């Protein structure tokens, strides 16, 4: 449902907690002392890059599924109409 709502959106803003102090579900987990580079504090939660990858993968899968479901009509439209659809 959320991804289907994107069809009406003009923009998608993805905010990422780069501190790493929350797990994948958003629960606060804090810091681990001395586990970062040079003994600095490091977030004990999920890796923010993994969160970005997950969202990107979900969006790609959503687009692919929608194009695949409508492929017959996409092919029938032809190149000119298809280009107009995305402009």
């Amino acid at each position: 449902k959320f991804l289907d709502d994107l069809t009406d959106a003009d923009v998608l803003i993805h905010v990422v907690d780069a501190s790493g102090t929350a797990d994948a579900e958003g629960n606060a987990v804090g810091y681990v002392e001395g586990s970062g580079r040079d003994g600095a504090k490091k977030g004990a939660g999920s890796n923010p890059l993994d969160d970005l990858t997950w969202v990107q993968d979900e969006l790609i899968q959503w687009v692919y599924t929608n194009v695949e479901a409508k492929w017959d009509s996409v092919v029938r439209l032809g190149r000119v109409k298809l280009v107009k659809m995305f402009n």
Side-chain angles (χ1 to χ4, degrees), residues 61-81:
Q61 184 62 38
W62 176 74
V63 168
Y64 176 81
T65 301
N66 280 300
V67 169
E68 183 180 45
K70 298 172 179 125
W71 185 249
D72 290 337
S73 63
V74 169
V75 170
R76 281 192 304 254
L77 284 175
R79 181 182 173 104
V80 174
K81 288 185 181 179

Side-chain angles (χ1 to χ4, degrees), residues 16-31:
V16 177
D17 176 8
S19 70
T21 59
D23 62 15
E25 287 78 37
N27 302 310
V29 293
Y31 291 99

Side-chain angles (χ1 to χ4, degrees), residues 35-68:
S35 61
R37 185 175 23 186
D38 301 327
K41 290 182 181 180
K42 178 183 176 202
S46 63
N47 182 342
L49 293 177
D50 292 341
D51 296 342
L52 284 173
T53 301
W54 180 82
V55 169
Q56 289 174 343
D57 290 346
E58 287 292 313
L59 288 170
I60 290 168
Q61 184 62 38
W62 176 74
V63 168
Y64 176 81
T65 301
N66 280 300
V67 169
E68 183 180 45

Side-chain angles (χ1 to χ4, degrees), residues 3-16:
L3 292 176
D4 289 338
D5 291 339
L6 287 179
T7 58
D8 296 327
D10 292 327
V11 66
L12 170 66
I13 298 173
H14 183 191
V15 178
V16 177

